[in-house]
Structure formats: C-alpha cells, structure tokens
C-alpha cells in the first residue's frame, strides 16, 4: 500500500503542480430533476490552472455537475441543486450572487460550435462590450486580437474579421467559441464535450489549445473520449450513476485506478 | 481477468499473448533441463537439439513483441490491460534470455566432453539446475494465476540458488588448483553454473513483472541476495 501512496504523489515536477490551490469546490452536491435524483453527494475539488476531466458513461451525471459550476442548471425549470459549490471560497448559489457576473467568471464552451450569426469580430467583441471591459474601439480591437490569438485562430482569420463566424470550418468555429469565452477574461472555463463534433485534426488543435489555456485558466472538461481525458487533463474524476466514483491524478487513473468501476469503464469492460 | 471486454477480439488478442508466453516458458524450461542433462552425460546430440531449439524461442519472442505493438496501436490499452501487455513484452524477453543461457550451456558440452564432468560436480550442477528450474516452473504457474502474493514469495527465494552457485564456484576453484589440466573444463563449467544461476535471476524478474501486472506497483525492498561468489578468492595453502 505504501508503494501505491508513492505512485500517487510521484510526479515530482508536479509537487508544485500537483497541489495547486483549489479554485472551485463542490461539497455534497446533489441535483434533482423533478423527483429524479441525478447527483448524489458529490465532493469534488477543481484545482487552479489544472485541466480536470470528468468521465463516465452516459447519464452518469458528469454534464449535470459541470452545469452546476456556472449555474446553467438554473435555466432548467424543475432542477434543484443542493449542497454547496464555492468559487474562491464564495458560495455561488448564495442569493447575493449575480449570475451574469458568475458566468463571466466561469465561462462555457459547448458540444456543438455555436457562433452567433454575426461577424468573427462581433462574436468575440460581444462579451467584452456588454460587460464594459473596453473603454474604446482600440481597446476592444486589442481584446479581440489577443482572444483570437489565445484561441490559436488569429492567423487564420485576421484578414477576414468581418466575415460571418458561421462561415468558418467546424474546428475553427469551436476555436472561435473558445476565443469568445476567453474574451471576457474568465477564471474558469467549462467545456462540455468540446471536440465531439470535430475531426481528429481539429480535435488535436483544440486539445493543444486546452493545454496552453491551462496556464491562464482553470479548465473543467466533460468528455466521452477516454483517450482525450488521458491526453489533456492532469486530474480525472470518474462518475457513475450520479456518484463520484474516484478522483485522482490522471496518470494514476489511467495506469492503476483504485476503483474497479473506473478500471472496467476505462478498459472497456462490462461492469 | 474477471470480466471480459466489450470488444471480444481484444480478449482474444490478450489470450494469444498469454498462450504464447506459456508456450515460451515450457520450451525455455525444456531447453535448460536438456542442456544440463547433455552436459553431465556428455551428450552432444542433445546439446545440438538445444542449440537449434533456441531459434523457435527467439521467433516466439519477436512474435509476442510484434503482436503487443499492434495491440497498443489499435486498442490504446490502459490500466490493467496496458500492464498486461507491457508485462508480456518483458516476460517474453526474460524467457528468451533463459533460452540463450541454455543454448550457451549446450555449446560448452563439446569443450567439456573430452574430460567429462566429475561426478560430484555433476551432482552440484544438477542440483543447481533443479533449483533454478523449480523456480522457473513455479513462476510460470504464478503467471497463469497472476497471484501477487505468490509472485512476491518466489522473488524472496532466489537466495537459495545464489548460495548453491557460490558453493560450486568454490569447488571449481579447488579443482583448478589441484591440477592445471582442469582449468579448461572447469572454466567452462563455471560459465555453465553462472548460466544456471542467471536463470534464477530471470525467474525473479518474471515474478516482479507478474507482481506489477497484478498490482500496478513495483515490489518493495531489495531482492534477497546470497551470491558471495564475487568475493571468493583462491587461497593457496602450502
């Protein structure tokens, strides 16, 4: 058992990386859709400047948990969230919280790229404009440029910023959505299967981007691709039937997970 | 392997590796046993058979390696599956080395046969090879059960072989000092004894690999060692 403990804390360069500050924390999180309970007492820390992957079979609650982190579940009528979720120690379900401001701090990228039916420039400029992040046109131009650069899209679109965002390829559209999320300088970015509609090359570009974004943001990604979780994340959380089965270093999860349910799932076995 | 994969072909591929490893183990055992038999009975025909069997073992090792690479490329295995495949590659390499050691012993039969092997020494070598073969056989049995506990206990028993080897080493030195004409055959026999002792080390490697396959952790602590041959000196007494 001693050996096992050692392997978990093994990544030495990780010593600083392996124990980053906790950015968000879910404590005893429960979710009900009407009378049906979708999440059972989930306790999950989200570490700063870390990519946390949420994996598990369909209906396991991973997307439900993700949506709790920026109160996207508020939009669903009969959805009730219990327990506590904090961002920098502050309860995000506290009545004093401004949900619009919360979602600026905790941005989201969806499964299917969903650019606004506007120009590439306007797609990125929209957020900073409504949040009043730029004092003038020059500042706004600057935000658009840096956001597109951070999303690795600048070189591909700099000469056609006024063309429609919807005219880009699927992979480019998804990176545009990431640029749009990045433009309001969020602290956390939630990604709900961001590559499931993309081809392998576009997927690789988005994954490479996730890897870079980690330096400036905290990222939580829901993915059905175990290989993707293994490639992009530092921490992996395994969900099953609304429960958090196991959360650990990604290296540990994919070489020697503690729970047999995790092992069966990642190895593609019958549970 | 409690439950099976959703992809049944994956199960078949892993079974193929396990079957090949078991076959390799059987052949390696046979080669070692026959090489020692050839040595103590000066049977050059049997020695020749051992030498030609080595090609089969080499081919099997390459096959395990090739198959493992294909499985990794196609299945992207993780966790216990990945350890199973990495373990198979390592065990195949150890068994291939065991075969090489048997072959090397067989090659020395010709050099030693002119003078024959003294009866007492032959018994020592036979006993050493019995110990090594027993360890190899047990480790191959453990391979089929994947028992971490048993793998660990085998690893702790290499000591006996090391002690036996040291005693043969001393004995050979004595023969060489008695009569310089013994130097040539005894030097060959020394290599044969070393070959057999190395087989014990490979069996221990395999036990460690099985432990890793089963648990995902390396066995703790150093291997027990009683190999003091490296400090034995010939003391000339008048």
């Amino acid at each position: 058992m001693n050996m096992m403990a050692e392997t978990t804390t093994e990544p030495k360069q990780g010593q600083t990386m392996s124990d980053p500050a906790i950015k968000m924390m879910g404590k005893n999180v429960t979710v009900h859709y009407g009378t049906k309970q979708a999440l059972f007492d989930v306790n999950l820390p989200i570490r700063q400047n870390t990519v946390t992957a949420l994996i598990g079979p369909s209906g396991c609650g991973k997307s439900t948990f993700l949506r709790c982190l920026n109160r996207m579940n508020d939009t669903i009528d009969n959805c009730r969230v219990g327990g506590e979720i904090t961002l920098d120690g502050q309860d995000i379900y506290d009545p004093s919280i401004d949900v619009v401001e919360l979602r600026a701090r905790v941005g989201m990228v969806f499964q299917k790229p969903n650019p606004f039916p506007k120009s590439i420039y306007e797609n990125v400029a929209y957020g900073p404009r409504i949040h009043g992040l730029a004092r003038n046109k020059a500042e706004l131009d600057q935000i658009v440029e840096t956001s597109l650069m951070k999303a690795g899209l600048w070189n591909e679109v700099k000469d056609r910023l006024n063309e429609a965002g919807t005219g880009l390829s699927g992979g480019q559209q998804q990176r545009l959505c990431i640029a749009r999320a990045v433009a309001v300088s969020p602290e956390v970015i939630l990604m709900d299967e961001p590559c499931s509609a993309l081809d392998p090359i576009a997927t690789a570009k988005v994954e490479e981007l996730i890897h870079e974004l980690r330096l400036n943001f905290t990222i939580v990604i829901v993915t059905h691709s175990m290989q993707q979780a293994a490639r992009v994340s530092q921490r992996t959380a395994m969900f099953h039937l609304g429960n958090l089965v196991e959360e650990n270093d990604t290296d540990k999860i994919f070489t020697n997970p503690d729970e047999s349910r995790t092992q069966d799932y990642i190895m593609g076995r019958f549970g | 392997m409690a439950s099976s994969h959703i992809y049944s072909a994956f199960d078949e591929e892993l079974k193929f590796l396990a079957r090949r490893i078991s076959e390799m183990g059987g052949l390696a055992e046979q080669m070692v046993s026959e090489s020692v038999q050839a040595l103590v009975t000066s049977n050059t025909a049997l020695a020749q058979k051992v030498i030609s069997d080595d090609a089969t073992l080499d081919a099997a090792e390459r096959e395990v390696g090739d198959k493992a690479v294909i499985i990794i490329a196609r299945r992207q295995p993780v966790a216990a599956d990945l350890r199973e495949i990495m373990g198979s590659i390592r065990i195949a390499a150890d068994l291939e080395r065991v075969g090489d050691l048997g072959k090397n012993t067989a090659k020395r039969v010709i050099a030693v046969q002119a003078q024959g092997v003294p009866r007492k020494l032959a018994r020592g070598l036979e006993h050493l090879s019995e110990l090594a073969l027993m360890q190899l056989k047990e480790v191959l049995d453990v391979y089929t059960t994947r028992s971490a506990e048993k793998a660990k206990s085998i690893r702790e028993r290499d000591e006996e072989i090391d002690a036996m080897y040291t005693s043969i080493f001393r004995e050979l030195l004595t023969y060489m000092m008695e009569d310089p004409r013994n130097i040539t055959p005894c030097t060959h026999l020394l290599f044969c004894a070393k070959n057999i002792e190395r087989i014990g080390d490979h069996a221990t490697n395999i036990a460690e690999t099985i432990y890793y396959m089963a648990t995902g952790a390396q066995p703790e602590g150093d291997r027990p060692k009683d190999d003091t041959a490296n400090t034995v000196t010939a003391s000339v007494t008048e």
Side-chain angles (χ1 to χ4, degrees):
Chain A
M1 284 316 285
N2 238 344
M3 290 299 295
M4 309 266 262
E6 259 176 53
T7 18
T8 355
T9 52
E10 243 278 334
K12 286 294 173 231
Q13 22 108 268
Q15 271 331 70
T16 45
M17 270 168 49
S18 159
D19 301 303
I22 289 174
K23 183 70 186 171
M24 296 191 81
M25 181 75 204
K27 282 185 200 149
N28 302 316
V29 177
T30 58
V31 172
H32 286 82
Y33 292 116
T35 53
K36 190 183 180 311
Q37 188 163 3
L39 275 187
F40 299 83
D41 293 315
V42 171
N43 289 287
L44 180 62
I46 305 296
R47 288 153 214 270
Q48 189 152 10
N49 297 110
T50 298
V51 180
T52 303
L54 311 184
I55 62 169
S58 293
C60 69
K62 56 192 189 299
S63 288
T64 298
F65 181 79
L66 188 80
R67 284 154 186 276
C68 290
L69 297 176
N70 70 346
R71 295 184 55 175
M72 288 298 280
N73 287 327
D74 287 14
T75 59
I76 301 168
D77 274 346
N78 59 356
C79 178
R80 277 181 296 125
V81 178
E84 188 185 60
I85 297 174
T86 56
L87 172 61
D88 290 335
Q90 193 185 13
D91 185 0
I92 63 168
Y93 282 84
D94 190 277
S96 68
I97 288 284
D98 174 354
V99 180
V100 175
E101 196 218 348
L102 170 72
R103 289 182 193 147
R105 292 176 68 191
V106 184
M108 194 151 190
V109 175
F110 297 88
Q111 184 169 1
K112 278 176 77 178
N114 53 353
F116 303 136
K118 289 170 181 283
S119 70
I120 294 168
Y121 182 94
E122 281 304 318
N123 261 282
V124 183
Y126 181 80
R129 194 179 280 137
I130 62 161
H131 287 287
L133 300 181
R135 279 170 303 181
N136 51 46
K137 176 82 167 80
E139 274 188 14
L140 193 57
D141 286 353
Q142 191 54 50
I143 292 175
V144 170
E145 181 175 337
T146 37
S147 303
L148 285 167
M149 275 184 169
K150 282 184 190 157
L153 195 59
W154 176 249
N155 284 331
E156 291 162 60
V157 301
K158 62 183 175 198
D159 299 323
R160 46 176 173 146
L161 291 175
N162 294 317
E163 288 174 25
T166 47
L168 296 170
S169 73
Q172 287 172 326
Q173 285 186 22
Q174 193 60 306
R175 281 181 284 145
L176 178 62
C177 293
I178 293 172
R180 187 176 64 188
V182 163
V184 293
S185 298
E187 294 155 52
V188 181
I189 302 176
L190 310 178
M191 298 187 173
D192 195 354
E193 295 183 49
C195 300
S196 59
L198 305 184
D199 73 26
I201 302 291
T203 297
K205 285 183 183 166
V206 171
E207 286 180 4
E208 172 62 14
L209 177 59
I210 291 170
H211 191 71
E212 285 167 15
L213 291 174
R214 174 170 75 91
L215 300 174
N216 297 309
F217 307 94
T218 297
I219 295 168
V220 187
I221 177 170
V222 162
T223 176
H224 269 140
S225 159
M226 255 86 71
Q227 266 68 39
Q228 179 168 65
R231 283 191 300 260
V232 303
S233 71
Q234 287 75 51
R235 301 286 294 186
T236 297
M238 160 76 191
F239 284 75
H240 188 231
L241 301 174
N243 292 289
L244 175 65
V245 176
E246 177 172 10
E247 187 259 350
N248 215 324
D249 277 351
T250 298
D251 288 348
K252 165 87 174 135
I253 294 275
F254 284 93
T255 53
N256 193 14
D258 288 331
E259 297 292 329
S260 61
R261 270 192 290 174
T262 310
Q263 170 134 317
D264 286 344
Y265 180 67
I266 62 172
M267 300 202 312
R269 286 170 184 268
F270 296 114
Chain B
M1 280 179 258
S3 54
S4 46
H5 289 91
I6 295 166
Y7 297 104
S8 57
F10 190 7
D11 285 328
E12 289 308 314
E13 288 160 1
L14 292 175
K15 274 186 207 150
F16 173 88
L17 286 183
R19 206 163 46 234
R20 268 286 175 278
I21 298 279
S22 295
E23 286 166 9
M24 285 184 72
L27 182 56
E29 256 181 82
Q30 187 191 324
M31 284 173 68
V32 172
S33 155
E34 287 177 349
S35 69
V36 175
Q37 204 190 327
L39 187 69
V40 298
T41 60
S42 301
N43 183 342
T44 48
L46 188 58
Q48 204 51 56
K49 175 184 177 292
V50 172
I51 292 168
S52 55
D53 277 350
D54 191 48
T56 313
L57 200 58
D58 288 356
E61 191 221 353
R62 279 194 297 272
E63 194 183 9
V64 167
D66 290 348
K67 192 78 181 174
V69 165
I70 292 169
I71 298 174
I72 292 169
R74 292 175 58 130
R75 306 278 177 204
Q76 287 115 50
V78 294
D81 290 333
L82 182 57
R83 301 201 303 269
E84 172 79 21
I85 293 163
M86 297 311 291
S88 301
I89 297 171
R90 279 193 225 160
I91 293 173
D94 275 311
L95 290 174
E96 189 272 335
R97 285 297 299 150
V98 169
D100 285 349
L101 294 166
K103 180 186 176 184
N104 184 274
T105 302
K107 278 181 174 174
R108 294 179 191 276
V109 169
I110 297 143
V112 176
Q113 64 154 349
Q115 281 174 270
V117 180
R119 195 56 226 148
K120 184 163 173 265
L121 205 51
R123 191 155 305 135
L125 282 174
E126 276 174 328
H127 185 52
L128 183 66
S129 79
E130 275 161 23
L131 286 176
L133 278 170
M134 197 199 298
Q135 205 176 5
L136 186 61
K137 190 174 155 29
E138 278 178 40
V139 88
L140 290 166
D141 289 344
V142 174
Y143 173 73
T144 57
T145 64
R146 302 288 197 281
S147 157
E149 268 319 299
K150 285 185 187 155
K152 216 171 153 208
S153 78
I154 288 183
R155 178 176 176 265
E156 280 154 10
R157 283 217 321 268
D158 197 33
E159 222 172 345
E160 217 179 328
I161 294 180
D162 291 337
M164 185 74 206
Y165 167 67
T166 304
S167 128
I168 291 176
F169 188 101
R170 286 178 196 281
E171 210 172 324
L172 285 165
L173 277 188
T174 315
Y175 281 115
M176 289 193 251
M177 284 190 297
E178 272 171 15
D179 185 346
R181 280 172 300 182
N182 283 339
I183 290 177
T184 303
C186 283
T187 305
H188 284 294
L189 290 173
L190 195 54
F191 276 110
C192 292
K194 184 70 193 169
N195 286 344
I196 298 165
E197 184 267 337
R198 289 291 301 154
I199 290 163
D201 291 342
H202 286 291
T204 308
N205 282 349
I206 295 173
E208 287 175 353
T209 302
I210 296 169
Y211 185 87
Y212 172 75
M213 287 160 93
T215 64
Q218 308 290 349
E220 282 175 78
D222 291 333
R223 294 178 179 189
K225 275 269 155 203
D226 196 13
D227 176 4
T228 48
N230 48 359
T231 57
V232 171
T233 54
S235 48
V236 183
T237 45
E238 291 301 317

